[in-house]
Amino acid sequence: MFKKTIKAIFSAILATPIALMALADDQVTITVWSMDGHDLGNEDTHRQVIAAFEAAHPNIKIDLTLLPESGLEDRMNTAIGAGGKLPDVFPLISGEWAPIALDLSSYIEADPDLSQDMYAEPFWRTRATFGEKVVALPTGIGANVVLYNKDVFDKAGVEYPTADWTTEDFIKKAVAITDKANGVWGGDRPRDAYRAIWHNYDAQVYSDDSTTVEGYHNSPQSLAAYQWYWDLVHSDATPTKAEIDVLGTEGTGPVDLFIAGRLGMATLNQSHMLRALKEGINFGMVPEPAGPSKDRHANAWSATPAIAGNSEHPQEAYEFLSFWAGMEGQYISMTTGLNMFPSIPALWKDHPYIDHPAIQTFKTTLDWPLVRDFDGTHLCWRAALRRVDEVYELIGLKAIERNEIKKALDKEVVVLQTALDDCVSRLGS
Amino acid sequence: MQFMGRKSKRERTQAIEGYVALSPWMFGFLFFYAIPILASLYLSFTQWTLVGSAKWIGFENYIRMFTRDPVFIDAATATGFFVLYSLPFKLILGLMLALLLNMKLPGMNYFRTIFFLPAVISGVAVSLMWIWFLQPDTGVVNTLLRYVGISGPGWFWDINWALPSVAMMSIWKVGGAAIIYLAGLQNIPAHLYEAAAIDGASKWQQFWRITLPLLTPVLLFQLIIEMIDAFKIFTEAFVITQGGPLNRTYFFLYYFYEEAFRNFNMGYASALAIFLLIVIMSATALVKWWSNRWVYYEN
């Protein structure tokens, strides 16, 4: 009897690690780097998505690392450059990373629960594809919209802006509601050239084929956009850069100034809009103002997680990615934390704030041509413009006269062309 | 006859022990300095976008740097002027502060701690604090100036004031230099001052004839360290100005950070890094050569 007991104990001791090893063999860990923010959700949302996924996939464990956006960018770049190990899943926030992302086409084809048709077309078009490859799946979406504080407008006796307003209306209303004695500015100013308003003037920094700057950066359309910006700055109805830098917050917009009632109109994003809603601000929302172009443009985007091409577990990584960016994952992200806006239109009806008029305005802008239609396919525009963006700065500093803008743009063309050629030889057109 | 180089067992053991003791530093130097510098040197002759392999392009990056890149001129100018603005002030004010802190007065340890604090606070925190200090409309400095009827400048947001503002921030951290001067001052033998006083030397003569000559090795050390530090300025541009306005604070290190990690231009960024390395090494060599004329070593 004693011998049998000893034998049974030894067998159990031997069997346990073998069983555990067998279990460990079946268990796969997928590393995920992500960002805590507007479009991918906060930490709680990430954890809830992961918990739901792990419950449905007991053989896959998710190892999540949350980083700030700039930290994620630097860490990814360093890992890519040093040839180090990349995470299995990561947000594709830089177009430069697209070549190292796994082509998801065959995985999507074999997946009965996921297809391109599920997603809003603009985000699939501008964020998920790279050449012929599908390199990411869209999750949360966002866009810039103009929030206006109704109390500020009412106090000044000025009519609210409407969706069909123009860039000239923006300046007129900003001037009318500015109340310097009480520290209230009318509206904010664009944070870069060639954003939505420039596109609404049909201004483009260089040609579609990335070969020519002459006739684009210094075109009549571009000049008109810069002149509008000059008029806005000289209206004194907008905070200076110093004021925005110090009093504006979150790096993406002066949301605190707006919520404090010190900025009548502010170009913010969907997450700021929800914050204003939750804080009970009396506000309305309109798209960015129209220019002379026949098209209105939206500066809209989507967070797009991808899988590293050298992932050791591509199938398991896809299981997680398709869950995160699929119906179930986006539903969780939409109903928790920052209430992300899904890139799957079928889910919108269940959004907790769907009935608010502001959300309807937000939805309207998503069908417009996107700023990213140009930006996302021209990797060089920012690098090239960085070399010459003096006119924009000079206007912001009130250091250039209105009639000098054309000459200054002409002067920048040569330098910009050289910078563009240098960049295109490296990153392609 | 024993051949040159042939060592006894004991000497060999000692040599091995020496190398073992040195090895952590040697490995550190090799892996964290020598190999990255050599890799940067190689990459500076290539075009490399991080993704894919580097393509050899010879001297193209250097040719571009000197012939077709206006931002290179901006970055070199901003960095050069920053060194010129901040270095003399840090050296002179540091010395003056050390002389004050060396006085035997009550509470001096307290003041030493206070003045040293800025040198140990995180650069990002200091930058954010200075943004609030120097904001033109609501900042502390301009608000105080308005009380006395002065309209303050735009500081970081003014074309003419941005660079001096960053230099001023850097000078504010002079306490670190002062502590090193202080250590030098306290090493000067007291009997030299006593003898000079007996001979009737004034305080100024004592400073000029005793303190300054005996402090020159520390001055040289500070000059080299502060100069290298000034060439490497980055945090202020990254956090406060992003190189603006009009590239007035587009310092060299910030420039190659943007080229490498924002524009994915690793080859060109490496060329910029190598150029800065050569500038710093040349400036250091020049200072060392010049120091033969004015540094006094007691032994």
Side-chain angles (χ1 to χ4, degrees), chain B residues 13-238:
Chain B
T13 308
Q14 280 181 336
I16 290 167
E17 283 170 359
Y19 283 120
V20 169
L22 270 176
S23 60
W25 182 89
M26 286 173 70
F27 279 117
F29 177 76
L30 198 66
F31 288 107
F32 296 115
Y33 290 90
I35 292 175
I37 288 171
L38 290 175
S40 291
L41 182 64
Y42 166 72
L43 286 173
S44 74
F45 295 105
T46 67
Q47 189 181 76
W48 184 41
T49 59
L50 271 181
V51 178
S53 51
K55 182 177 136 197
W56 182 266
I57 54 168
F59 284 94
E60 179 55 29
N61 285 327
Y62 292 94
I63 293 167
R64 179 186 154 195
M65 193 190 302
F66 294 116
T67 60
R68 338 186 273 274
D69 183 1
V71 185
F72 169 76
I73 307 290
D74 289 348
T77 309
T79 311
F81 273 109
F82 175 77
V83 174
L84 288 178
Y85 282 169
S86 64
L87 190 59
F89 281 102
K90 278 187 100 168
L91 291 175
I92 295 166
L93 289 178
L95 179 58
M96 286 166 66
L97 188 60
L99 289 169
L100 285 173
L101 293 175
N102 199 33
M103 292 165 84
K104 290 179 175 51
L105 293 172
M108 202 46 85
N109 283 339
Y110 171 76
F111 284 111
R112 284 174 191 169
T113 309
I114 295 283
F115 282 112
F116 188 62
L117 268 180
V120 292
I121 300 174
S122 142
V124 174
V126 168
S127 300
L128 292 174
M129 185 189 80
W130 276 90
I131 288 179
W132 280 96
F133 270 175
L134 297 183
Q135 207 281 343
D137 301 285
T138 51
V140 178
V141 175
N142 278 9
T143 304
L144 291 175
L145 287 174
R146 272 194 291 274
Y147 279 127
V148 291
I150 298 171
S151 172
W155 301 110
F156 297 123
W157 297 271
D158 184 304
I159 300 168
N160 299 315
W161 277 91
L163 189 57
S165 303
V166 177
M168 192 166 74
M169 257 186 78
S170 161
I171 293 162
W172 177 71
K173 290 188 266 184
V174 75
I179 292 297
I180 293 173
Y181 282 127
L182 191 60
L185 284 172
Q186 294 184 344
N187 272 339
I188 299 174
H191 65 81
L192 296 178
Y193 292 107
E194 288 162 11
I198 291 167
D199 289 343
S202 65
K203 285 287 178 194
W204 174 247
Q205 284 172 321
Q206 286 179 27
F207 171 76
W208 202 245
R209 302 282 181 188
I210 299 171
T211 309
L212 207 53
L214 292 181
L215 210 56
T216 48
V218 181
L219 263 171
L220 172 65
F221 171 79
Q222 281 296 99
L223 174 60
I224 290 173
I225 295 295
E226 295 289 355
M227 183 183 69
I228 293 172
D229 205 36
F231 274 117
K232 295 194 304 180
I233 180 164
F234 173 78
T235 312
E236 291 81 354
F238 184 72

Side-chain angles (χ1 to χ4, degrees), chain A residues 243 245 386-387 393 426, chain B residues 64 69 137 250 259 263:
Chain A
E243 284 152 349
D245 280 356
R386 177 69 186 86
R387 311 236 158 198
E393 270 200 280
R426 195 161 36 85
Chain B
R64 179 186 154 195
D69 183 1
D137 301 285
Y250 205 55
E259 279 296 313
N263 298 339

Side-chain angles (χ1 to χ4, degrees), chain A residues 264-404:
Chain A
M265 298 181 287
T267 311
L268 297 168
N269 66 32
Q270 78 294 342
S271 180
H272 299 139
M273 173 182 72
L274 287 182
R275 194 181 139 192
L277 263 176
K278 289 170 186 174
E279 294 199 19
I281 305 298
N282 183 21
F283 76 97
M285 202 175 85
V286 281
E288 291 197 66
S293 169
K294 65 179 174 55
D295 288 320
R296 299 279 290 275
H297 291 76
N299 184 31
W301 57 85
S302 168
T304 39
I307 298 173
N310 62 359
S311 168
E312 288 170 12
H313 308 290
Q315 184 57 45
E316 288 82 0
Y318 178 76
E319 297 285 331
F320 175 67
L321 177 64
S322 58
F323 180 88
W324 190 11
M327 295 288 272
E328 206 171 334
Q330 292 212 34
Y331 183 84
I332 295 169
S333 302
M334 179 180 80
T335 49
T336 62
L338 301 171
N339 302 117
M340 174 206 91
F341 287 94
S343 53
I344 300 175
L347 286 171
W348 275 74
K349 63 182 188 324
D350 297 323
H351 196 281
Y353 293 93
I354 193 65
D355 293 330
H356 195 281
I359 307 297
Q360 296 306 322
T361 308
F362 174 70
K363 276 183 73 179
T364 311
T365 65
L366 302 178
D367 293 327
W368 293 351
L370 301 187
V371 170
R372 196 175 160 79
D373 279 318
F374 184 86
D375 294 3
T377 49
H378 293 81
L379 294 176
C380 285
W381 82 271
R382 193 175 283 279
L385 193 65
R386 177 69 186 86
R387 311 236 158 198
V388 294
D389 204 12
E390 271 194 22
V391 178
Y392 174 82
E393 270 200 280
L394 285 168
I395 293 173
L397 294 164
K398 291 188 176 176
I400 187 170
E401 292 303 321
R402 199 174 193 273
N403 60 9
E404 293 170 344

Side-chain angles (χ1 to χ4, degrees), chain B residues 227-283:
Chain B
M227 183 183 69
I228 293 172
D229 205 36
F231 274 117
K232 295 194 304 180
I233 180 164
F234 173 78
T235 312
E236 291 81 354
F238 184 72
V239 178
I240 304 174
T241 62
Q242 289 87 51
L246 295 178
N247 289 351
R248 291 297 197 276
T249 60
Y250 205 55
F251 301 118
F252 225 89
L253 221 59
Y254 184 65
Y255 182 32
F256 68 68
Y257 167 79
E258 280 213 327
E259 279 296 313
F261 292 103
R262 294 289 171 266
N263 298 339
F264 300 97
N265 201 354
M266 284 291 169
Y268 191 58
S270 299
L272 292 169
I274 294 296
F275 174 79
L276 184 63
L277 178 72
I278 291 168
V279 169
I280 291 177
M281 283 174 66
S282 307

